[in-house]
Amino acid sequence: GENVEQHPSTLSVQEGDSAVIKCTYSDSASNYFPWYKQELGKRPQLIIDIRSNVGEKKDQRIAVTLNKTAKHFSLHITETQPEDSAVYFCAASRGFQKLVFGTGTRLLVSP
Amino acid sequence: KAGVTQTPRYLIKTRGQQVTLSCSPISGHRSVSWYQQTPGQGLQFLFEYFSETQRNKGNFPGRFSGRQFSNSRSEMNVSTLELGDSALYLCASRGGGGEDTQYFGPGTRLTVL
């Protein structure tokens, strides 16, 4: 079955810096890759997703890139702000199969 | 549209008891998935129901079960509770397609004493 690895497990940056979180997946047939942000005590919320027919997607300060050949995808956050501090989860799925999550990255943005 | 709702939000049980959690998906969504979240294990997939049928299943013991009703509302049941079952239980709904966005509910915090 699908396996998703996520790195790093923790990431500390200064406000204004960029942050990059990387995930690799094992099932070459996976075609849907969402990213979720979970603030302390709250539910995971979708921040961006990408499908396998697209290599890159941007939404303001957030971007996701997908490399199907290498089977990895990354989340890029530019101009980080303290409110970006949270746990970020990547995930992958194929067709109607279950969404498989990475282990999460705790991002801390210091003022 | 109203979001995904879960009841109850908090629950305290003792070992050996059983518990039932409820999830109401976004209107029109036919798929409901359940996850167990613990600090050390992240988001662990329990099962997914689509149109009242279990479509996907995770690697949890048979003490964990679920069902879905004709209105897409779903329940999960945990029997013979163990201390290790203490966790945040999240449900998520999606339209039904494999690439549909999945939306999470607020979760039920279960504490087993």
Side-chain angles (χ1 to χ4, degrees), chain A residues 29-54:
Chain A
S30 288
N31 57 3
Y32 177 58
F33 308 91
W35 286 88
Y36 286 83
K37 173 184 179 182
Q38 187 176 27
E39 297 176 78
L40 191 61
K42 297 189 176 180
R43 73 188 77 186
Q45 292 201 307
L46 181 78
I47 55 172
I48 196 167
D49 58 10
I50 192 168
R51 289 164 174 80
S52 58
N53 59 345
V54 177

Side-chain angles (χ1 to χ4, degrees), chain B residues 32-49:
Chain B
V32 174
S33 295
W34 287 90
Y35 296 85
Q36 182 193 66
Q37 187 173 36
T38 56
Q41 297 297 320
L43 285 160
Q44 300 292 308
F45 175 80
L46 282 152
F47 28 66
E48 178 189 14
Y49 285 87

Side-chain angles (χ1 to χ4, degrees), chain A:
Chain A
E2 176 69 280
N3 183 52
V4 177
E5 294 188 358
Q6 183 172 347
H7 299 281
S9 57
T10 58
L11 180 58
S12 294
V13 300
Q14 292 292 120
E15 183 177 1
D17 288 348
S18 294
V20 180
I21 302 170
K22 299 181 179 181
C23 290
T24 59
Y25 59 98
S26 60
D27 186 350
S28 58
S30 288
N31 57 3
Y32 177 58
F33 308 91
W35 286 88
Y36 286 83
K37 173 184 179 182
Q38 187 176 27
E39 297 176 78
L40 191 61
K42 297 189 176 180
R43 73 188 77 186
Q45 292 201 307
L46 181 78
I47 55 172
I48 196 167
D49 58 10
I50 192 168
R51 289 164 174 80
S52 58
N53 59 345
V54 177
E56 183 176 3
K57 184 176 178 180
K58 290 183 180 180
D59 183 3
Q60 300 183 332
R61 297 184 297 107
I62 293 174
V64 58
T65 59
L66 172 64
N67 183 326
K68 289 186 291 183
T69 302
K71 290 189 287 186
H72 69 69
F73 56 113
S74 300
L75 178 70
H76 304 253
I77 306 174
T78 59
E79 300 174 23
T80 54
Q81 302 167 3
E83 50 266 39
D84 294 329
S85 296
V87 178
Y88 292 80
F89 292 96
C90 63
S93 70
R94 167 171 62 93
F96 295 103
Q97 298 300 309
K98 64 184 180 183
L99 201 56
V100 178
F101 284 84
T103 50
T105 295
R106 184 173 301 277
L107 174 64
L108 176 62
V109 181
S110 303

